[in-house]
Amino acid sequence: MAYLAHTAHVQLVAVWLGCVGWTLTAVSLGLIQWRVWQVSDTEVITSGVAWVGIWRACFNSHTLVTPGFRVLHCKYISLTDAFTPPEIVAGQILMLLSLLVGLLGNAGGLYALRNVNFGMERTSPIRVAFLTTGALCLLAAVMSLVPLLWNLSSVVTNQTINFPSEFKMPEAPDSQHVGSGIGVGLVGTILMIFSGIIFCMYKLPARSSSRIQMSLREEEHLDSPVQGVTDSRGALTNSVGKDNPAFESHERL
């Protein structure tokens, strides 16, 4: 068994980065401030600001209040609605998949660190575990990056959404800008990318690898049966032992 805990200090930091990145991705998924619309008509949208997320469109109002909220009116955006733009559909699907894959990646990182800290046996693929963890973290980052950049591009190019009348949203905002939901998601994605790269960079030290091979050969030697040789009289003797003179004198009698 080889001691390798000192070889994975950077990967321990990568686990922390992956967990924080995954948490920020989950937070951005629930935020409604992906797109911030500025409107001039304050008759319904009292504050003059509306927020569009990938699950809901909300605004403050003193005339329309959603049950459970004091001054907030919200309508859910369904995946199957005809007005739902493709970038929001991609966000609903890919962000959820990103959370699932990122969770598997973080679990893989903990498993790999467990193998490192508790020693390496013959069947402990530490290098493969770190590579798999890194690949999962990078895949989760790509899945979340696609909808984040897509929605960011839609805001920059001032794309509108044809909401139904029951949403009470204007046909087009006076102006719009990027909300905190996209910003939080991008920070989480960047952390996941760094985490995946660090996991993939793990290598077993050459000295540790040679020690592992020597320890495995020693275990095989200890597990092999004791070999013996026969003397001139045909008696089986141990190749590493010595004859007992008292036993030989007893045989002469």
Side-chain angles (χ1 to χ4, degrees), residues 68-215:
F69 300 100
R70 292 183 177 180
V71 294
L72 195 64
H73 174 75
C74 291
K75 283 289 185 179
Y76 285 93
I77 302 174
S78 176
L79 183 69
T80 58
D81 288 337
F83 72 90
T84 306
E87 61 269 22
I88 290 183
V89 174
Q92 292 180 354
I93 297 174
L94 291 179
M95 292 295 288
L96 288 176
L97 290 177
S98 175
L99 287 181
L100 177 60
V101 175
L103 182 61
L104 294 176
N106 288 328
L110 294 175
Y111 171 75
L113 286 177
R114 174 205 175 268
N115 288 342
V116 168
N117 285 278
F118 285 93
M120 181 177 179
E121 301 291 346
R122 300 180 190 179
T123 58
S124 299
I126 292 179
R127 173 65 174 160
V128 176
F130 276 120
L131 283 176
T132 303
T133 299
L136 289 174
C137 290
L138 291 176
L139 179 60
V142 171
M143 286 181 174
S144 61
L145 188 62
V146 170
L148 287 168
L149 292 181
W150 197 350
N151 281 274
L152 177 63
S153 175
S154 298
V155 174
V156 172
T157 56
N158 200 24
Q159 299 293 322
T160 62
I161 303 175
N162 296 322
F163 286 106
S165 57
E166 60 266 18
F167 276 72
K168 303 300 180 181
M169 294 284 288
E171 295 181 358
D174 297 336
S175 63
Q176 60 177 315
H177 61 269
V178 178
S180 58
I182 294 179
V184 172
L186 288 176
V187 173
T189 299
I190 293 173
L191 293 180
M192 291 292 291
I193 291 175
F194 279 115
S195 176
I197 293 175
I198 294 174
F199 280 128
C200 292
M201 291 175 59
Y202 178 81
K203 292 182 179 180
L204 287 171
R207 184 177 299 178
S208 297
S209 300
S210 61
R211 289 181 180 177
I212 292 170
Q213 294 176 0
M214 291 177 61
S215 63

Side-chain angles (χ1 to χ4, degrees), residues 18-67:
C19 292
V20 174
W22 184 87
T23 303
L24 292 178
T25 303
V27 170
S28 68
L29 182 64
L31 290 176
I32 59 174
Q33 294 90 350
W34 280 52
R35 306 184 188 188
V36 181
W37 285 16
Q38 302 289 338
V39 297
S40 56
D41 187 6
T42 59
E43 183 178 354
V44 177
I45 305 177
T46 308
S47 62
V49 179
W51 304 284
V52 180
I54 60 174
W55 299 105
R56 295 180 300 174
C58 302
F59 55 84
N60 289 327
S61 177
H62 295 305
T63 58
L64 295 174
V65 178
T66 301

